[in-house]
Amino acid sequence: MFPSLCAFAKWWLILTVLGWLFWPLAAATFRRSPGRGYAYARPFGLILLSYTYWLLSMAGILPNTAGALW
């Protein structure tokens, strides 16, 4: 049970940092919504990061490996 708890904690921390990094962009995009897009910052950042990584790997710029994603 402890390894799964550590994996969950890492995933939560990564998503939290991602939300902090993408919150200014989400606030500018969703400025009319309540909270200025704060609720959308994590999914918005995850979607943008994933889509950008996918585009770069499809173009052959980045390899499709876990190391390249980090």
Side-chain angles (χ1 to χ4, degrees):
M1 180 170 161
F2 187 68
S4 63
L5 185 62
C6 287
F8 173 76
K10 284 183 202 176
W11 181 243
W12 179 81
L13 182 65
I14 288 169
L15 282 180
T16 300
V17 171
L18 193 65
W20 288 338
L21 293 175
F22 279 91
W23 186 76
L25 184 61
T29 304
F30 302 109
R31 65 180 165 264
R32 293 185 185 264
S33 69
R36 293 193 44 178
Y38 178 74
Y40 304 118
R42 284 184 188 178
F44 191 62
L46 185 61
I47 289 170
L48 284 179
L49 183 68
S50 300
Y51 185 66
T52 303
Y53 176 71
W54 177 76
L55 282 177
L56 291 174
S57 66
M58 284 288 122
I61 297 170
L62 285 176
N64 192 9
T65 63
L69 185 57
W70 285 109

